[in-house]
Amino acid sequence: MTKKIIIANWKMNPEGAKEASKLFTFGKDLSKKSKAKIIICPPFPFISLFKEKKSENFSLGAQDLFYEKKGSYTGEVSASILKSLDVSYVIVGHSERRKLGETNELIAKKVSASIKAKITPILCIGEKERDAEGAFFGFIKEEILASLKLVSKKDIKKVIIAYEPLFAISTEGKGAMDAHSIYETVIFIKKVLSDKFGESSTGVKIIYGGSVDKKNIKDVLFVGGCDGALVGKASLSPQSFEAIIKNILL
Ligand code: PGA
């Protein structure tokens, strides 16, 4: 069985560098005894504190990037800046960025720029809500195809798809989507990919995000049929993050 991937999306946390260093060291140490691969995605300024060679079970990620190579783009960070700091993964098109105005068109350029720089894009997609008629499947399909518009057959395997239904993110206790619905959606995503990219899409990693914690991680991975999970809130506490990793008994 291939190794599961657990991605810690710290979002705009923690509040300072000292706390960030502690949390990072904890995650890195945890990876030494983990059966899963751990990828930590801190806010940009902390990344340079953690410039470290990746190990078998551990990699550094970022939460976003800009598609241009360099130049007058105040506030933006390029793929090559990230690459120079040992970043090997980057979250692209998170719903919290889409909410701030990111379009599929912009996201497609970011996906393409990260592939060119040999940084694995973690493309986030997911519906806002579900309707009884299943129109949300059309939304998911459109979002995937538009966000992957600039990706060739040859490169599709370099992308990780993170399925994150918006209503399951940061629910503060309401919990993740039920594992059967996750499974059904993962199958749908695989079908969309195979219709577009053919056999080249076999084996593209699909992960789930949205209120993942120690209680639901096994269901998400083993009932939901996911290759990993994108973890927000529960990645900010060493105890809850460790509990997630410990619950992945492969
Ligand atoms: P959550 O966030 O685990 O806090 O719901 C997941 C995400 O937004 O990636």
Side-chain angles (χ1 to χ4, degrees):
M1 195 188 284
T2 50
K3 211 176 271 180
K4 302 288 183 188
I5 30 183
I6 302 297
I7 303 170
N9 177 12
W10 286 2
K11 308 191 179 183
M12 201 169 71
N13 299 293
E15 278 182 47
K18 229 172 145 181
E19 226 183 317
S21 291
K22 266 202 218 153
L23 199 55
F24 182 84
T25 307
F26 184 85
K28 179 117 210 244
D29 288 346
L30 190 59
S31 75
K32 291 176 193 147
K33 37 186 182 161
S34 162
K35 293 206 171 93
K37 181 178 172 91
I38 295 177
I39 298 161
I40 293 186
C41 303
F44 284 141
F46 296 149
I47 286 178
S48 56
L49 303 175
F50 307 143
K51 185 177 179 310
E52 239 169 290
K53 291 276 167 278
K54 53 184 188 263
S55 60
E56 199 197 333
N57 261 356
F58 184 85
S59 286
L60 192 53
Q63 298 174 18
D64 189 25
L65 85 168
F66 193 56
Y67 60 84
E68 290 288 357
K69 282 205 176 99
K70 59 176 189 168
S72 309
Y73 303 100
T74 304
E76 298 292 351
V77 172
S78 69
S80 57
I81 294 175
L82 295 177
K83 194 75 191 166
S84 73
L85 295 168
D86 290 340
V87 168
S88 5
Y89 292 82
V90 62
I91 298 171
V92 180
H94 191 281
S95 58
E96 286 153 15
R97 297 212 56 83
R98 290 181 188 260
K99 238 185 257 167
L100 294 173
E102 289 205 2
T103 59
N104 285 330
E105 201 185 352
L106 174 69
I107 290 160
K109 289 183 185 170
K110 291 184 173 190
V111 169
S112 170
S114 47
I115 292 174
K116 278 194 192 121
K118 296 195 167 50
I119 297 177
T120 303
I122 301 155
L123 170 66
C124 298
I125 51 107
E127 74 278 23
K128 273 200 197 74
E129 56 200 2
R130 292 205 152 195
D131 56 308
E133 293 72 37
F136 63 90
F137 279 122
F139 177 86
I140 293 173
K141 180 177 174 182
E142 163 68 25
E143 200 168 53
I144 294 172
L145 295 179
S147 307
L148 293 175
K149 204 170 160 209
L150 304 174
V151 177
S152 65
K153 268 190 185 176
K154 171 173 82 53
D155 285 339
I156 186 61
K157 271 217 190 62
K158 298 176 183 163
V159 180
I160 294 176
I161 309 277
Y163 170 55
E164 298 208 304
L166 271 59
F167 50 85
I169 297 177
S170 307
T171 55
E172 306 289 342
K174 238 181 85 201
M177 175 183 256
D178 73 278
H180 293 285
S181 304
I182 295 175
Y183 181 70
E184 186 185 47
T185 316
V186 166
I187 299 295
F188 178 74
I189 294 170
K190 285 186 177 163
K191 167 93 172 72
V192 170
L193 292 176
S194 110
D195 287 349
K196 167 77 182 161
F197 297 96
E199 274 181 23
S200 322
S201 73
T202 312
V204 167
K205 288 194 166 37
I206 302 174
I207 65 174
Y208 166 86
S211 303
V212 170
D213 60 21
K214 64 175 178 191
K215 287 191 244 108
N216 56 37
I217 184 69
K218 271 197 207 162
D219 275 358
V220 164
L221 298 181
F222 302 113
V223 182
C226 295
D227 297 301
L230 186 47
V231 186
K233 189 151 188 265
S235 72
L236 293 171
S237 132
Q239 292 77 15
S240 51
F241 196 52
E242 183 172 30
I244 289 177
I245 299 298
K246 278 193 170 158
N247 268 351
I248 306 172
L249 308 165
L250 296 182

